[in-house]
Amino acid sequence: KHAEAYQSYITAEELSPESKWTLTHLAYVASILREYKTASRCYDYLLRNDPDNVKLLMKKAEMLVSTEHFEEALPITYKLYYLDDKSVKCRKIHAKILLMTGNSLEKAEELFAQVMNEEPEDEHNSINLAHTLYAQGRSAEAYRVYRKSYERYMKQNNDEGGYSNLFWNAIPLNNSTVFNVKKMTRMYDAIRIGELGI
């Protein structure tokens, strides 16, 4: 009952405004309910008192990604990567933000290749790697990664719509400097028919 919990945590915060426990739980429930202003306020307060807390930084970064505030998330993911560059989760979110902002695509490619090797069953990793290759103008290489991912996904799930969601949800559609949506539509069609016509 997230909505009821949210109201209770709001009341708890009014009674004890600086309670770390309350703010942590309020931020969590607020994120679920997409009350992002509240969640952001809580995470910012918690990070003021604990600026190198990897878990809090990750939660803040994930919230910014979900609201497509990619530029705002960039310094946070740089910090996450600096604090824990061995963590798959930290490398993955940092690479994602590098891709979404168009910053250091070579580094994003390196990180996605690493996590793809460590989590070969996660199609998000291979699609993101392919997107990163495509964003660098390496269409043929990107196509090979896309096509392999598509074949594997369809063999396991036989769900065209599911793969389409994975493909398009991983693209910053509002960032035309990174991706040309018309060209990506042609690439997606090529992936489906198994022939790169570009």
Side-chain angles (χ1 to χ4, degrees), residues 8 10 27 31 38 54 59 65 72 77 89 105 108 116 143 149 160 169 179 182-183 196:
S8 295
I10 289 287
S31 294
T38 300
V54 171
K59 292 288 187 187
V65 169
E72 195 178 334
T77 63
K89 200 170 181 183
L105 292 171
M116 196 170 92
Y143 170 77
S149 167
E160 181 73 45
N169 288 343
F179 288 101
K182 286 185 179 178
K183 285 185 178 179
L196 183 61

Side-chain angles (χ1 to χ4, degrees), residues 116-128:
M116 196 170 92
N117 287 333
E118 293 172 48
E119 298 179 344
E121 302 302 315
D122 187 342
E123 292 306 333
H124 289 92
N125 298 329
S126 54
I127 290 172
N128 281 321

Side-chain angles (χ1 to χ4, degrees), residues 55-71:
K55 187 176 179 182
L56 286 174
L57 287 165
M58 181 63 72
K59 292 288 187 187
K60 174 75 175 181
E62 289 172 344
M63 189 200 65
L64 290 170
V65 169
S66 67
T67 56
E68 299 187 3
H69 288 86
F70 303 124
E71 291 289 347

Side-chain angles (χ1 to χ4, degrees), residues 85-140:
D85 65 354
K86 300 292 186 285
S87 162
V88 171
K89 200 170 181 183
C90 289
R91 281 179 285 154
K92 195 184 293 189
I93 197 166
H94 185 45
K96 181 77 171 179
I97 293 301
L98 292 175
L99 171 62
M100 290 300 199
T101 57
N103 284 278
S104 190
L105 292 171
E106 298 84 1
K107 185 64 178 179
E109 178 190 347
E110 175 193 329
L111 294 175
F112 280 133
Q114 288 175 10
V115 298
M116 196 170 92
N117 287 333
E118 293 172 48
E119 298 179 344
E121 302 302 315
D122 187 342
E123 292 306 333
H124 289 92
N125 298 329
S126 54
I127 290 172
N128 281 321
L129 175 60
H131 283 343
T132 307
L133 293 167
Y134 183 84
Q136 295 175 76
R138 293 153 62 189
S139 300

Side-chain angles (χ1 to χ4, degrees), residues 17-71:
E18 297 181 2
S19 166
K20 181 180 176 182
W21 189 93
T22 299
L23 290 169
T24 300
H25 288 78
L26 175 56
Y28 172 73
V29 175
S31 294
I32 291 173
L33 294 174
R34 302 186 181 212
E35 296 284 351
Y36 294 121
K37 278 190 177 180
T38 300
S40 185
R41 175 177 57 77
C42 293
Y43 286 130
D44 287 344
Y45 182 86
L46 292 164
L47 284 164
R48 274 201 299 273
N49 297 309
D50 195 1
D52 294 336
N53 186 310
V54 171
K55 187 176 179 182
L56 286 174
L57 287 165
M58 181 63 72
K59 292 288 187 187
K60 174 75 175 181
E62 289 172 344
M63 189 200 65
L64 290 170
V65 169
S66 67
T67 56
E68 299 187 3
H69 288 86
F70 303 124
E71 291 289 347

Side-chain angles (χ1 to χ4, degrees), residues 134-191:
Y134 183 84
Q136 295 175 76
R138 293 153 62 189
S139 300
E141 290 175 74
Y143 170 77
R144 286 193 290 273
V145 178
Y146 284 132
R147 182 62 192 175
K148 191 173 180 181
S149 167
Y150 178 80
E151 289 173 349
R152 188 169 52 238
Y153 185 89
M154 293 303 289
K155 185 177 180 180
Q156 292 174 352
N157 303 283
N158 193 29
D159 178 11
E160 181 73 45
Y163 186 83
S164 177
N165 286 335
L166 288 177
F167 183 93
W168 290 108
N169 288 343
I171 294 178
L173 297 177
N174 60 346
N175 191 343
S176 59
T177 60
V178 180
F179 288 101
N180 180 308
V181 176
K182 286 185 179 178
K183 285 185 178 179
M184 288 304 289
T185 301
R186 290 197 293 273
M187 173 62 84
Y188 186 76
D189 289 341
I191 295 163

